Amino acid sequence: MRAARISTLDGPESIEIAEIAEPVAFPGGVVIDVHAAGIAFPDVLMSRGLYQMKPELPFTVGGEISGIVREAPEGAHVRAGDRVVALTMLGNAVAETAVVPADTVFALPEAVSLEAGAGILFNDLTVHFCLRTRGRLAKGETVLVHGAAGGIGTSTLRLAAALGAGRVIGVVSTEAKAEVARANGATDVVLTENWPAQVKELTGGRGVDIVLDPVGGDRFTDSLRSLAPAGRLLVVGFTAGEIPQVKVNRLLLNNVEVIGAGWGAWVLKHPGYLAEQWAEVEPLLADGTIAPPQVVPYPLERTAEAVASLEQRSATGKVVVTVR
């Protein structure tokens, strides 16, 4: 089968399409003919050996897929012919065939295309975890998300209202990205230049209840200042590259919180959590309450470009690689 492989840790440009053997089915594994695979920022870091988990070289890019079940173990909740989405977690996604544990495979609602389905699990379940489990989002609260035109950002804009938010503010760097944020459901959009003042004006000086930050860098302190009393800043990632530091005296001033939101680590330590998340998210996707992601598709042959678009921060929306 064809697969997007990394043999050297030289960044996205080192990704090559290679012919490799199909994976062997293991006990309890579901064999899936992959139609599309999602790309996320950890793929950028893994291509340079900078992620906390380092698969042995060479490895296949990607951690999430959509496709058709070819073979499933007896008694599994999916069967041959089903349209599904699945997590391969770290690697083994951008390939023509994947084998994954049954508990990371979920039936895809008919209302969602296979291409869009490849963009759901990693980002949407991360955002669900952030807002529901770690952020304790209450009905009517205001959520602000940095990088609002990116994968996590657009996912936040699509999900927040369905999970109870009364207002969702997106922070973006350009007018073009502002249009992407609005198209994905932002109540308000502000540009990064002087964004704290704009947020203060929008909220009448109160601030926001939750900041969801996948960017990090120099906007971190301003995010703390932009929180309302008892607000929560959710640390999701550091696409800006710089890992900020917290001066904890700032937490006292307004009784605010800085909360780590590492979805992958949580999933590994909480068996059954993925199924709990899907049980809430799937019906909302099925009835249109949550819109499918507006994906940016790349053919398999351009996987290197797909991953590079995240490193260069030029991507808008969720990047996926189409395999079939």
Side-chain angles (χ1 to χ4, degrees):
M1 68 174 185
R2 295 181 303 159
R5 301 282 278 176
I6 290 179
S7 299
T8 62
L9 300 177
D10 297 316
E13 61 272 20
S14 67
I15 298 172
E16 298 178 339
I17 308 305
E19 288 281 348
I20 63 172
E22 279 198 355
V24 177
F26 49 78
V30 177
V31 182
I32 299 171
D33 290 323
V34 178
H35 280 242
I39 301 298
F41 198 72
D43 296 314
V44 174
L45 298 177
M46 289 170 64
S47 75
R48 296 194 180 278
L50 300 177
Y51 199 60
Q52 56 261 42
M53 298 179 186
K54 297 175 172 57
E56 183 179 345
L57 293 172
F59 63 88
T60 299
V61 179
E64 58 186 327
I65 60 173
S66 65
I68 306 296
V69 174
R70 182 196 300 177
E71 179 184 337
E74 186 176 352
H77 60 288
V78 294
R79 59 185 180 181
D82 284 354
R83 301 166 73 252
V84 296
V85 291
L87 291 168
T88 63
M89 300 307 280
L90 294 175
N92 300 315
V94 187
E96 292 180 320
T97 304
V99 181
V100 296
D103 61 1
T104 69
V105 181
F106 305 98
L108 181 65
E110 289 296 328
V112 183
S113 70
L114 284 167
E115 189 175 81
I120 288 175
L121 289 182
F122 195 92
N123 287 347
D124 284 10
L125 297 192
T126 291
V127 169
H128 178 273
F129 166 71
C130 287
L131 296 180
R132 269 279 191 263
T133 304
R134 301 297 287 148
R136 311 184 305 278
L137 174 65
K139 187 173 179 60
E141 287 190 318
T142 296
V143 175
L144 179 147
V145 59
H146 290 291
I152 290 291
T154 53
S155 181
T156 303
L157 299 176
R158 290 172 38 251
L159 267 69
L163 298 179
R167 188 179 199 177
V168 192
I169 302 173
V171 182
V172 297
S173 58
T174 67
E175 286 291 351
K177 290 183 177 181
E179 289 304 312
V180 173
R182 293 187 186 98
N184 279 276
T187 312
D188 303 277
V189 182
V190 299
L191 297 180
T192 49
E193 184 177 353
N194 203 30
W195 70 267
Q198 297 176 71
V199 170
K200 184 176 182 179
E201 181 177 355
L202 284 171
T203 60
R206 178 180 178 273
V208 301
D209 299 293
I210 292 176
V211 172
L212 196 151
D213 184 12
V215 178
D218 58 9
R219 67 184 69 183
F220 189 82
T221 299
D222 282 334
S223 292
L224 284 175
R225 291 173 176 150
S226 297
L227 289 173
R232 289 86 73 200
L233 196 169
L234 301 173
V235 180
V236 184
F238 313 103
T239 60
E242 179 186 345
I243 299 177
Q245 296 184 357
V246 182
K247 292 186 177 181
V248 294
N249 62 303
R250 296 187 184 280
L251 309 184
L252 297 175
L253 298 177
N254 225 14
N255 290 291
V256 298
E257 301 173 58
V258 175
I259 301 172
W263 169 71
W266 189 274
V267 166
L268 291 174
K269 294 181 180 179
H270 294 79
Y273 182 70
L274 283 176
E276 293 174 17
Q277 289 190 285
W278 192 247
E280 180 172 3
V281 171
E282 188 274 338
L284 299 176
L285 287 165
D287 68 12
T289 301
I290 296 175
Q294 299 177 23
V295 299
V296 182
Y298 286 77
L300 177 62
E301 293 75 15
R302 295 175 58 199
T303 302
E305 292 177 52
V307 178
S309 73
L310 295 185
E311 184 173 56
Q312 297 159 3
R313 298 180 67 180
S314 61
T316 56
K318 175 65 178 185
V319 175
V320 304
V321 172
T322 56
V323 178
R324 282 182 166 82

